[in-house]
Amino acid sequence: MPSNDSRRPAPAGPDSWCSLSHYTSARIALGRSGGSLRTVSQLDFRLAHARARDAVNAAFDANGIIRQLRHDGLPTEWLTTAVPNRETYLLRPDLGRRLADVSRTWLRNAANAWGRRDLAILVSDGLAARAAENHAAATIVPLVRQLESEGWSIFPIFVVPLARVKLQDDVGEVVGARHTILFLGERPGLGSPDSLGAYFTYRPRQSCTDADRNCVSNIRAEGLPPIQAARKLALLLKKSARLELSGVRLKDDEPAEIESPASAPPMLVEG
Amino acid sequence: MRTYSCLVGARRHSFSSLRDLLAKATPKRSGDELAGIAAESAEERVAAQQCLADVPLRRFLDEPLVPYESDEVTRLILDTHDAEAFSPVAALSVGEFRDWLLDYRTTGATLEAVSPGLMPEMVAAVSKLMSNQDLILVAQKRRVVTAFRNTLGQPGRLAVRLQPNHPTDDPRGIAASIIDGLLYGCGDAVIGINPATDSVPAVEGLLKLIDDLLRRYEIPTQSCVLAHVTTQMEAMRRGAPVDLVFQSIAGTEAANASFGVNLALLSEARQAALALGRGTVGQNVMYFETGQGAALSAGAHHGVDQQTCEARAYAVARHFDPLLVNTVVGFIGPEYLYDGKQIIRAGLEDHFCGKVLGLPMGVDVCYTNHAEADQDDMDTLLTLLGVAGVNYIMGVPGADDIMLGYQSTSFHDSHYLRQTLGLRPAPEFEAWLEAMHISEDGKRLRRIDERHALLAHAIE
C-alpha cells in the first residue's frame, strides 16, 4: 500500500559539487527537479529579475541627491535632456545625448558668469536611479575635495535626469570645461541592481566617441566602494590632465579595477 | 533610382527605393523606428509587404542596397553569387518565392542546392512576408551539418555552447562553471568564454585551461575564447591551443570596421586556424556572432533596415565556412528590439535567414533587464527554435551571465528542450556523456556523487 510519502517528490537539494560555488558567484550546482530548476532556484531567479526590473523603472529622486550634495557644501544645478519620459529614454538614446533647448540656453548664459573651469560633474539616473541615489554623492564629495585641494576649478554639480553617456560632450562644450565626468546608473545585472558607472572625457566636444572616454564601473558597496572609486577617479583625471588625453590611449596603472567591455559585442557600450 | 508604389483600396502608397520598401515592409521593431525608416502606420507596413511580394528576386542583383563601389560586403555578395544555383528560383517574385519555400516539393536537398544562388537581401525580403510559423517550417527543412571534434546540426540533435564567464576571468571560477555545465550534459557546440580582459596572456591562459580539461578527460568538443580576432591571432602565433577563431561581425563594411575587422583579416585568421589542424572529424574553424541593430548602433546601416543588415552579415559568415554562427538576439537592448514579441520575431527571422543561406545557426535566446521581456518570453522563443531545428543554444549557469550582465538560456533549459522534443546531444559528445555516466538514454541526467571523475581533480 503506497504511503503518503511515495506521492511526494523526493526532496531535491543542490548538486553534490556545490562546494565549487566557493569559486564563482555564477548560479552553479543548483540541483534539479527532473532536468528542470528546483522551485527554490526558480523563485530566487524571479526575485533577482524583479529587483532588476524595479531598479530600471524606479522614479529618480534627484532632489534627494541635490540635498545630499548641498549638505556637504557643493552647489548644484538642475539640467534637462531632450527626453520627455522614461519610456522614450529607453527607445531614443539619441535624445538622452543632448540637452533640451531651454536647458542649453539657460546653461549658456550661466556659463558666461562662471567662466571656464577645469571640470564639469554630471549625475544622472541612467538605467538605475537607485545607483545614483545611493552612491553618487558618496563618490562625488570626496572626489571634489581631493581635486579642489590640488587647485582644480569645478562647475556646480549638474543633476540631469534621463541622460546618456554622450551628454557630457554637449554640456562640456556649452560651458567650456576641460574635463567632464558623468555618473549614471548602469544597466542592472541580476546580482547588481544599483551599480554606478563614471565616464570622463578630456576636451569634451560633439565629435567625441566612446573611444575618447574612460570608464570606472561597478561603483557600489559590493563592487568598487565610493571612497575607493573617488580615489581612483582623482588619479585618472590628474593623469588625463597631465597627458592631455583620455580614452583608449590613457592606460590605467591598476587594471583590475577598471572594467573594459573587451569581449562583449561593441553594442554593449551605450553612448 | 526606381520607385515603388501600390494601391491599397483607394489609397496609393509610394516608396522611394528598394531600400525604403524593405524597411517599411519589416514587422514593427524599435530599431527601425530609431533609425527613422520604419513604416508610419500599420497599413503602410502591409502595403509595403504587398508591393514587395511583386518585386522580382532578380531585382536584388540589379539594385544593390549598399553601393558595390564603397562596400566590400556588397562586393562579396555579388561576386560570389552562383547564377546556376539561383536558376530554379530566378524567375520568381518575392511573394512566389515564399510559396516555393513552403511547397512540399521543396525539400532540404532543394534548399541546399539553391543556397549559393540566394543573396541575403532576397532571403531577408521573403522573411518579411512570412509568419512565424512559415519561418519555423522552412528553417526546419534545412539542416546544416558542420564538424570539428564532433558533428553538429544533424536532425534530432541539439547542441549547447557552454558559456562559463566570470567577471575577473578567475580560472577556478571559470573551471567551476565548466564542470557544472559538463555534468548537465552541455558543451558539445563549444566551450566558449567571453573574457573580461582582451589581452593575449589572458586569452592564452584561458585556452590552456580548457585544452587541459578536454585532453585530460578526452572530451570530444572544441574551445574558444571570444576575444578580438587580432588577439586570438597573436595567441596562435605564440603557440596557444586555438580550436575555433571567434569574431563579432555585421552586414556592412563600415560596421565591420567599427568592430576592427574586414574580410581580409578574417580570411587570414581562418588560414592560421586551419594550419593548426586541430579538428579531428572536420575542419570548420570559425565561430561568428551577430545581432540585429549592430550596424545601426555603429552608424553604418546605410538606411537599410536592421533585419536586412543582419542577413548581410550571414553572407560574411558563409564565406568562411564556420562551425558555429549565432545571433545574440536580445542582447542589444530595447532601443533595437523593444519587448519579448520583437525579440521572438527577430530570433525566428535570424534563424530562418541563416539556415536558408546555408549557415549552422544557433541562437543566443536572451534579454537584458531594461527590455520588456522575461524568462517566459525566452521559454517561448527557445521552444519555437527547438521546433525549427536550431543547431545550438547557449548554456549559462542558471541563465544568469555574471560577466556580461544579461540573461540567456541555462543548462536546465537545454534539458527542457531535449526532453520535450526528444533531441540528443552531438553524437560523439553523447557517447562521451554516457561513458562518463553523466547521462543515459541520450537525454536523462544521472545522479552524480562527489567521487565522480570530473570532480576528483576538479579545481587545482
Side-chain angles (χ1 to χ4, degrees), chain B residues 186-218:
Chain B
C186 298
D188 40 355
V190 62
I191 298 176
I193 305 169
N194 299 87
T197 307
D198 195 301
S199 76
V200 175
V203 168
E204 282 182 301
L206 294 174
L207 284 167
K208 184 144 188 343
L209 183 151
I210 312 179
D211 191 52
D212 288 347
L213 196 71
L214 296 189
R215 284 195 293 161
R216 175 183 294 167
Y217 295 101
E218 298 178 334

Side-chain angles (χ1 to χ4, degrees), chain B residues 34-62:
Chain B
L34 176 64
I37 58 175
E40 280 167 24
S41 68
E43 180 180 300
E44 187 186 29
R45 178 167 292 114
V46 181
Q49 290 169 0
Q50 290 186 340
C51 192
L52 179 60
D54 293 334
V55 171
L57 287 180
R58 281 193 175 285
R59 184 69 49 77
F60 293 98
L61 283 162
D62 302 335

